Amino acid sequence: MFSNEKIRFKFDRCRQDNLNEIWATELLFVPGRTKEEFKNILVQNIRPIYNSAELQGFTIWTYK
């Protein structure tokens, strides 16, 4: 996203209305972030949501 001006422009327009979590802009979408760092931050912040949903009876979500 950071190396492609067109993609960055579209991301910034989308972020205004759809990216509401501060941790995502401050930690996740940072220039130079490696794929592994991105994944670890995403898991750290999303895992509690999955755990809460599971405790409420929702099944585990899978990525296909």
Side-chain angles (χ1 to χ4, degrees):
M1 161 181 83
F2 294 103
S3 62
N4 185 312
E5 191 175 318
K6 285 183 179 181
I7 298 293
R8 177 60 189 250
F9 177 76
K10 289 181 180 188
F11 173 81
D12 285 337
R13 286 187 59 203
C14 177
R15 177 174 60 180
Q16 295 176 58
D17 298 321
N18 299 298
L19 193 58
N20 301 317
E21 295 296 331
I22 293 173
W23 64 266
T25 50
E26 291 181 352
L27 300 173
L28 197 58
F29 296 106
V30 175
R33 179 78 60 219
T34 67
K35 187 175 183 176
E36 190 64 28
E37 290 171 330
F38 186 95
K39 177 184 167 187
N40 289 337
I41 291 167
L42 193 59
V43 167
Q44 177 184 355
N45 286 278
I46 298 295
R47 177 57 56 197
I49 296 168
Y50 282 96
N51 292 344
S52 178
E54 187 177 25
L55 288 172
Q56 295 176 49
F58 292 93
T59 57
I60 295 294
W61 304 332
T62 57
Y63 174 76
K64 295 181 181 185

